[in-house]
Amino acid sequence: MFATAFNGLIARLREGSEGIALLTGSGKVTWGELGRRVAGLRLALDGLREPGPVLVRGHKQADVVAAMIAAVCAGRGFVFAEANFPAARVGQIIATCGCAGLIDVAGDGFAVPLPMIDAARVADAPSRLTPLDPADEAMLFYVTFTSGSTGQPKGIPVSRANFAAFLSWMEPHVAGSMAGPDAAVNHASMAFDMSMSDIWLALLAGRASYLLDHAHNVNPHANIAFLSRDRDVPPGTLMSTPAFLGILLESRHFCAARLPRLRAFWVGGEEVPKPLLLRLRRAFPGSVIYHAYGPSEVTCVTHCHPLSDADLSGDDPLTLGLAHGGTRVLVDCGDGVLRTEGEGEIVLAGAQVAGRYLPADHPNNVNFGTHEGTPCYRTGDRGILSPGGAMRILGRIDRQVKINGLRIEQGAIEQSALEVPGIEVAVAVLRKQGVKSLMLILGGRAMPRDGVERVRAHLAAALPPYMQPSRIEVCEDVPLTLSGKIDRRGVQSLYA
């Protein structure tokens, strides 16, 4: 299935069409141009001697997309790192994945102990790409990372077979609801699984993609101007986190009058407020709005429910409907028994489950297992499963939070802060007043005077930007529980 879909993309690249494949801040890229870039980078990868995935480093450049395709054509998986990731974080990714080389698109002189291919120095080549072998379905497709509560990042290796299971239901679903030549909008980082779903669905279907620069994430007018630029390739679909969608809706120009072909929205990645979706429906009457859900560990998306007006009424959590494809949804109500209805931790089983974290000895690999011979994953999400199988998510059972659709474990921030000499107490707090954000509370009367500055500098060097707390405060008397542990709920109530 994966080879069949990908070989269609290879054939399109070989044909050298003048149709538009990508739209970036730097201009438009045709399928023919993309094919020649892929072919050049594919030849450059022949110089890598060691096995292993390719690290692709950059942002929303067309060469990032070309590099990912080239890696697959070369029989390798890939892992993406944003150009603004700290060197320490990139080093962890390289070590965890066993990367064989780097395709650097950023071009900023970044140095790593790997064979490096400077994309800017790679010449185009005739697009004579070789089709994939269908027998290689078990091969790695990509690795995406989430933060770890131990301070150790978790890599999620998604195989071609995992992604094929996702494509088996999502491709027909997309084709049925969005027939036509309209473009997809890609706003999430390529390091985030939402991008892995929308960019590959568009590429494999032969649709163009708008690659939104993150520099404009808080500037809806710049994004809307970009999306309105090309009348021949209008945007038709958008996969978005609620936070990004809310920013777009701050502009009165984000509406059907300005973007008349934008008619299908997938919204997920974190809790979706009903008032936000009502604003979206008013701005784009007649559009289809899908409530989407799916952990990175289960290949992007497992639920994709079209919302009715009735779904948007009332105060109960939004329904996600039934799981698609072969994914089976179960619930552990607290006794370790997996049931088909009830309230508790949601467990997903099926061919989309990635099966493990990298490194292999990561303590959170206990969340993977099998159920009746099928791979399964304990999501850490608390939800309700109705007798008919419809699912609603109520929140997290652990301390993971999602901000702007990105999953963050507060413990990873705390662990990093505690690496600073003199820091003995660190508590990450989710602030929900106004814009959802993270605050870091440092405790202890003996903390160095420059403790806040030292912690801020250490976090900037150790963690990616999306994990940086918006504020760091000092609390001399951090509340404790009766057992002598930090009273995290008490800290939360003080600062949230």
Side-chain angles (χ1 to χ4, degrees):
M1 170 67 182
F2 182 88
T4 301
F6 204 90
N7 287 341
L9 170 60
I10 289 176
R12 190 172 301 109
L13 296 174
R14 288 177 61 122
E15 289 169 3
S17 161
E18 291 304 307
I20 303 302
L22 303 171
L23 300 99
T24 75
S26 301
K28 293 180 286 188
V29 178
T30 68
W31 289 104
E33 291 168 335
L34 180 60
R36 291 187 287 275
R37 291 303 296 151
V38 171
L41 292 167
R42 165 68 185 87
L43 290 174
L45 287 172
D46 285 340
L48 298 183
R49 297 181 179 180
E50 299 297 325
V54 176
L55 176 66
V56 179
R57 180 176 174 272
H59 183 48
K60 287 299 186 75
Q61 302 93 335
D63 269 1
V64 163
V65 177
M68 294 190 299
I69 300 173
V72 178
C73 290
R76 297 178 183 268
F78 66 86
V79 57
F80 179 78
E82 282 283 353
N84 62 1
F85 277 13
R89 185 72 165 188
V90 176
Q92 287 176 315
I93 291 172
I94 291 170
T96 301
C97 296
C99 294
L102 164 69
I103 299 179
D104 190 68
V105 180
D108 54 4
F110 187 80
V112 293
L114 284 177
M116 189 187 83
I117 298 168
D118 184 348
R121 295 178 178 270
V122 174
D124 291 356
S127 185
R128 298 170 184 154
L129 302 168
T130 304
L132 303 187
D133 186 343
D136 293 335
E137 293 287 291
M139 186 176 290
L140 176 69
F141 181 25
Y142 65 84
V143 182
T144 187
F145 275 79
T146 68
S147 59
S149 57
T150 62
Q152 181 184 23
K154 302 183 301 241
I156 303 166
V158 174
S159 70
R160 294 180 180 183
N162 293 145
F163 205 79
F166 166 63
L167 287 175
S168 67
W169 68 266
M170 191 59 159
E171 266 194 327
H173 187 87
V174 170
S177 62
M178 299 181 299
D182 299 345
V185 180
N186 171 273
H187 89 86
S189 166
M190 296 295 179
F192 180 31
D193 67 339
M194 182 176 286
S195 265
M196 290 299 95
S197 55
D198 63 31
I199 192 68
W200 288 106
L201 285 170
L203 287 167
L204 297 176
R207 301 174 68 224
S209 289
Y210 282 84
L211 305 182
L212 300 189
D213 192 322
H214 291 172
H216 299 146
N217 271 2
V218 295
N219 185 348
H221 304 293
N223 279 323
I224 294 166
F226 176 43
L227 295 175
S228 309
R229 188 180 301 171
D230 197 313
R231 294 185 179 181
D232 294 330
V233 193
T237 65
L238 170 65
M239 289 189 178
S240 176
T241 62
F244 182 73
L245 188 61
I247 291 171
L248 288 174
L249 285 167
E250 290 176 1
S251 171
R252 60 184 178 86
H253 297 295
F254 188 64
C255 62
R258 181 72 176 266
L259 300 165
R261 301 292 290 274
L262 188 53
R263 63 189 185 279
F265 299 87
W266 275 260
V267 189
E270 58 186 336
E271 182 181 353
V272 184
K274 289 183 179 180
L276 176 71
L277 299 181
L278 290 170
R279 288 170 59 198
L280 179 63
R281 178 146 288 173
R282 288 193 295 269
F284 292 88
S287 63
V288 181
I289 303 173
Y290 296 92
H291 187 203
Y293 170 85
S296 304
E297 293 85 349
V298 194
T299 314
C300 305
V301 183
T302 58
H303 292 69
C304 183
H305 179 68
L307 295 170
S308 66
D309 290 339
D311 290 328
L312 298 179
S313 63
D315 297 326
D316 56 320
L318 275 171
T319 182
L320 283 156
L322 304 176
H324 287 273
T327 298
R328 188 177 180 190
V329 186
L330 303 159
V331 60
D332 179 349
C333 300
D335 55 6
V337 178
L338 299 185
R339 296 178 169 83
T340 56
E341 62 179 279
E343 179 177 336
E345 182 180 12
I346 297 297
V347 179
L348 301 174
Q352 288 186 212
V353 176
R356 64 187 174 115
Y357 290 123
L358 300 175
D361 61 353
H362 198 287
N364 285 353
N365 269 321
V366 296
N367 294 323
F368 291 96
T370 58
H371 177 72
E372 298 180 350
T374 302
C376 68
Y377 170 69
R378 289 182 169 271
T379 66
D381 289 322
R382 184 169 60 91
I384 298 174
L385 198 59
S386 74
M391 184 175 75
R392 285 179 166 85
I393 295 297
L394 304 177
R396 296 290 301 175
I397 64 169
D398 53 21
R399 296 190 60 239
Q400 277 188 351
V401 297
K402 281 192 175 182
I403 298 178
N404 293 330
L406 296 172
R407 190 190 311 174
I408 300 170
E409 291 191 62
Q410 291 155 286
I413 301 171
E414 296 167 355
Q415 182 70 25
S416 187
L418 292 172
E419 294 171 358
V420 177
I423 303 302
E424 298 178 353
V425 177
V427 184
V429 172
L430 179 65
R431 303 189 72 217
K432 297 182 179 181
Q433 296 178 357
V435 178
K436 186 189 293 185
S437 62
L438 279 172
M439 175 188 290
L440 182 64
I441 309 303
L442 303 178
R445 296 178 182 272
M447 192 181 69
R449 288 185 177 181
D450 61 344
V452 171
E453 289 74 21
R454 289 165 59 185
V455 168
R456 194 181 303 279
H458 181 75
L459 296 182
L463 302 175
Y466 69 84
M467 291 180 66
Q468 305 293 329
S470 60
R471 290 173 56 188
I472 300 178
E473 298 280 353
V474 176
C475 177
E476 291 185 350
D477 297 309
V478 174
L480 303 178
T481 64
L482 292 177
S483 62
K485 296 181 180 180
I486 295 173
D487 183 358
R488 298 185 181 278
R489 290 186 179 181
V491 177
Q492 180 78 37
S493 65
L494 288 173
Y495 291 95

